[in-house]
Amino acid sequence: MKQKIPQMLNEQINKELFSAYLYLDFVNFFVQKGLMGFAHWYRVQAQEERDHAMLFYDYLHHNNENITLDAIEKPETTQQTSLDVVRAGLAHEEFITASIDDIYAAALAAKDFRTTQFLDWFVKEQGEEEANANDLVTKVELFGADPKSLYLLDAELGARVYAPPTLVVG
Ligand code: FEO
């Protein structure tokens, strides 16, 4: 692999682990608010982010590349309202999509088609991640201010089931 691509993939491990860390901070926020369904939803999301990190990790090892594990940034959930937190989640997913798009563009330019093929799963996954985050923002905008509706939304989010990634490396 050309050196720039493994380096970018290595950095993506850190970004995905930071995503897991950020969403665990969101879990903390919602537990403090007593919204246990929201907390569960982000706990499942954090689990998915760890899975994403491990896919990049396994892909690099599978291609005989060394991995450097850097420090994970401290998440700062300074938002005051549930709506602002879910909006921050959407903004973070947009940031991750842009990061994956950058690796994809670099891999394409380097004719590293193995990596573009690997990243195809993530391109699709990011579409789903953004749609889910956007859906959550819309629901909180619509129903977040009404206690009865918020109770039902919290129950709905509490039913989210963790599903392991459909991508297998190796
Ligand atoms: Fe790993 Fe939420 O993107």
Side-chain angles (χ1 to χ4, degrees):
M1 287 169 102
K2 299 229 173 76
Q3 202 44 45
K4 189 181 168 194
I5 311 299
Q7 191 185 324
M8 294 176 92
L9 292 165
N10 197 138
E11 285 165 10
Q12 193 65 30
I13 296 173
N14 190 280
K15 287 175 186 170
E16 299 290 346
L17 288 175
F18 174 75
S19 304
Y21 227 38
L22 178 69
Y23 293 143
L24 285 178
D25 211 35
F26 286 8
V27 171
N28 205 26
F29 173 91
F30 285 114
V31 167
Q32 294 301 312
K33 285 219 175 294
L35 290 168
M36 302 309 284
F38 279 77
H40 169 80
W41 196 91
Y42 277 111
R43 194 185 168 101
V44 171
Q45 191 60 37
Q47 210 167 348
E48 283 197 4
E49 300 304 351
R50 184 188 165 278
D51 290 339
H52 294 167
M54 291 311 294
L55 287 168
F56 285 101
Y57 185 90
D58 289 343
Y59 180 74
L60 283 166
H61 273 167
H62 190 65
N63 284 280
N64 213 18
E65 296 288 346
N66 194 20
I67 294 170
T68 305
L69 292 174
D70 288 322
I72 302 168
E73 192 187 330
K74 183 182 190 302
E76 299 278 7
T77 304
T78 53
Q79 291 82 5
Q80 299 297 312
T81 68
S82 301
L83 181 56
D84 284 342
V85 170
V86 297
R87 279 177 176 158
L90 174 59
H92 183 70
E93 286 305 327
E94 289 167 348
F95 164 74
I96 293 294
T97 298
S99 177
I100 285 170
D101 287 351
D102 284 347
I103 309 173
Y104 201 105
L108 203 56
K111 294 190 176 174
D112 181 351
F113 301 122
R114 191 184 307 156
T115 297
T116 56
Q117 198 170 48
F118 165 71
L119 289 174
D120 279 338
W121 185 87
F122 282 94
V123 170
K124 187 165 179 285
E125 174 73 4
Q126 280 311 118
E128 287 171 21
E129 296 275 82
E130 282 190 38
N132 290 342
N134 202 30
D135 187 51
L136 190 51
V137 168
T138 303
K139 284 178 174 169
V140 176
E141 281 172 348
L142 285 172
F143 311 122
D146 172 56
K148 282 184 196 158
S149 303
L150 182 62
Y151 179 81
L152 292 173
L153 177 57
D154 191 56
E156 179 190 312
L157 296 177
R160 183 177 183 183
V161 177
Y162 164 72
T166 51
L167 178 65
V168 176
V169 175

